[in-house]
Amino acid sequence: MQYNPGWNGSSVNLLHVRAAGPGDSLHYVWSSIGAPAVLLVATQSPSSALRVNWTQLLSPSPAGAVWIDPPDSVVYSTAVVFTKLFEFSEAKPLGELFYPTYDLSEFSWDSLNHTLNHTALTAELSGVPATDPGGGFANGSLAFRVTAYEADGRAERLPSLLHTADSSQLEFVLAGVAPRGNSSRFVLEVATVEEAGAVRRLRSERSIDDEYTPTIFEVLSLVAESQNGSSTLGFLQWKATAYGSRSPRREDGIRCRAQGLQAANRTLPVSSIVQAYFGESLGSTCTISALNVSFGGEEGRVYQEKRYLSWSVLLGFGQPPRDTFSPLVISITAVALGTPLAMLLLGSCLVLLARRRRYSEYEPIN
């Protein structure tokens, strides 16, 4: 993990996370220069490196300021940008009432270096609006918590997402922000950038197994696929829940919905890290999609009471991890289903034996 590689200042945030394998390497570049974003690049070289021209990156024309060396080692690249936070309330009888939007490209962000933990591979990017006329952020903040992984495993805190060494977890946190309505709900807008030859699709999978995330049976994935559908290139994955507590429990759950994936023909908000890497292709050959993730519903008052909201999402390369039944659940299921079946078979055998003994004392009638 590198903070602002090649730059001595802390007035801007750029975090480079690199995972090296025997024949390839993966790069995650997190930044709050402009709208908060992450650039994901997979290369076929174990020694590929991130290069940054800081003078150009911080200029009004950052195109070409960020690249991977050697350039021909790059096999796949994408970006995820967190653009806006909407707030609305379902006022009756007027219907939905939207408040002024929080544009994340206009936030003021704290130095990420103060929260960087090289041992735990974690960091936190926290910010507030540069101008806040309503005072909603007077005692609160919006944060993105990043966690990188060195091996396969599962997060300890709910929703206990399953991860691989090729993925990183992002936790979106809204803490202490005063809602502007009596029943406010929040919506986070997420945009993705794909180069030519790849397309994003939203998948929803349901399972009867809620062992690791009680009462949640749905997993959503925003996957990048090659246009011929032959392979999955990258993904975002999350469970259909958020939580209203710093130490989440089942009863702190807040409903989480994905409100459809749409083509974003409009220009992305200022996000220098994305413009710096994709350059001119951002407005020509790249495909930009946007997704709204909403938090709340029947449980909308959870945030009103605790003023805390956290949503976890996994980002990575290749296929999203898939949960399977643990040995404990398999054993319990086998006993629950196997015992009645064994009793049925045993009972049938005993009945057949009893009937055979009963009629064996008589001669058949001619």
Side-chain angles (χ1 to χ4, degrees):
M1 301 180 75
Q2 297 175 294
Y3 175 70
N4 288 352
W7 179 259
N8 293 326
S10 59
S11 58
V12 295
N13 290 307
L14 189 148
L15 176 65
H16 176 220
V17 182
R18 178 175 174 270
D24 56 6
S25 57
L26 308 175
H27 299 266
Y28 293 84
V29 186
W30 305 85
S31 174
S32 64
I33 303 174
V38 56
L39 174 67
L40 296 86
V41 183
T43 74
Q44 56 186 2
S45 169
S47 58
S48 60
L50 175 72
R51 306 298 183 196
V52 181
N53 183 328
W54 282 97
T55 303
Q56 187 176 353
L57 178 62
L58 299 178
S59 71
S61 302
V66 174
W67 70 98
I68 298 295
D69 191 25
D72 59 0
S73 67
V74 176
V75 294
Y76 172 66
S77 55
T78 184
V80 181
V81 188
F82 302 93
T83 53
K84 296 176 182 178
L85 180 70
F86 302 99
E87 181 184 351
F88 70 95
S89 65
E90 296 180 328
K92 296 179 180 180
L94 301 177
E96 294 180 348
L97 172 64
F98 278 84
Y99 299 98
T101 302
Y102 293 115
D103 190 335
L104 301 189
S105 65
E106 298 176 357
F107 270 46
S108 174
W109 302 95
D110 295 338
S111 174
L112 185 148
N113 194 37
H114 300 317
T115 63
L116 189 58
N117 187 324
H118 289 274
T119 303
L121 301 178
T122 59
E124 180 175 324
L125 184 64
S126 179
V128 297
T131 58
D132 185 20
F137 279 79
N139 298 310
S141 66
L142 181 152
F144 294 96
R145 294 175 181 166
V146 178
T147 303
Y149 298 108
E150 293 182 306
D152 297 358
R154 186 181 298 276
E156 295 181 0
R157 287 159 45 92
L158 288 176
S160 305
L161 293 176
L162 182 67
H163 62 257
T164 68
D166 295 341
S167 61
S168 295
Q169 180 172 291
L170 177 72
E171 185 180 2
F172 166 71
V173 178
L174 202 62
V177 177
R180 291 172 283 186
N182 293 329
S183 57
S184 284
R185 293 168 59 181
F186 292 96
V187 179
L188 178 65
E189 184 182 64
V190 182
T192 62
V193 179
E194 293 293 336
E195 290 184 313
V199 62
R200 287 274 178 176
R201 290 187 174 86
L202 181 63
R203 296 176 182 171
S204 174
E205 295 184 6
R206 293 183 179 273
S207 170
I208 62 171
D209 183 19
D210 68 339
E211 177 184 6
Y212 300 104
T213 312
T215 74
I216 305 301
F217 301 94
E218 184 181 14
V219 178
L220 295 106
S221 301
L222 186 58
V223 298
E225 299 176 342
S226 56
Q227 287 189 336
N228 58 15
S230 61
S231 61
T232 300
L233 305 172
F235 67 87
L236 280 76
Q237 184 186 62
W238 66 95
K239 294 195 176 182
T241 185
Y243 291 95
S245 172
R246 297 179 187 273
S247 302
R249 300 167 297 173
R250 180 184 61 81
E251 55 266 32
D252 299 318
I254 298 174
R255 179 174 296 183
C256 170
R257 291 193 182 103
Q259 298 179 347
L261 181 65
Q262 298 181 350
N265 297 324
R266 65 189 185 281
T267 306
L268 277 175
V270 177
S271 180
S272 295
I273 192 67
V274 176
Q275 295 171 345
Y277 181 81
F278 291 99
E280 299 300 326
S281 64
L282 189 61
S284 56
T285 60
C286 288
T287 301
I288 302 173
S289 305
L291 175 77
N292 285 342
V293 181
S294 66
F295 310 101
E298 292 81 357
E299 321 88 340
R301 295 193 176 276
V302 174
Y303 182 81
Q304 301 284 340
E305 297 171 359
K306 300 187 177 181
R307 300 283 177 94
Y308 191 87
L309 169 69
S310 70
W311 173 63
S312 298
V313 57
L314 196 71
L315 304 92
F317 299 89
Q319 289 282 357
R322 208 169 240 192
D323 262 322
T324 56
F325 291 104
S326 69
L328 176 62
V329 171
I330 293 174
S331 302
I332 294 173
T333 305
V335 171
L337 297 178
T339 300
L341 182 60
M343 293 179 66
L344 180 62
L345 291 174
L346 181 60
S348 300
C349 293
L350 291 175
V351 170
L352 289 174
L353 288 173
R355 291 183 64 184
R356 184 170 296 178
R357 284 182 180 176
R358 180 178 176 183
Y359 293 106
S360 62
E361 300 173 0
Y362 296 90
E363 293 292 335
I365 300 176
N366 188 352

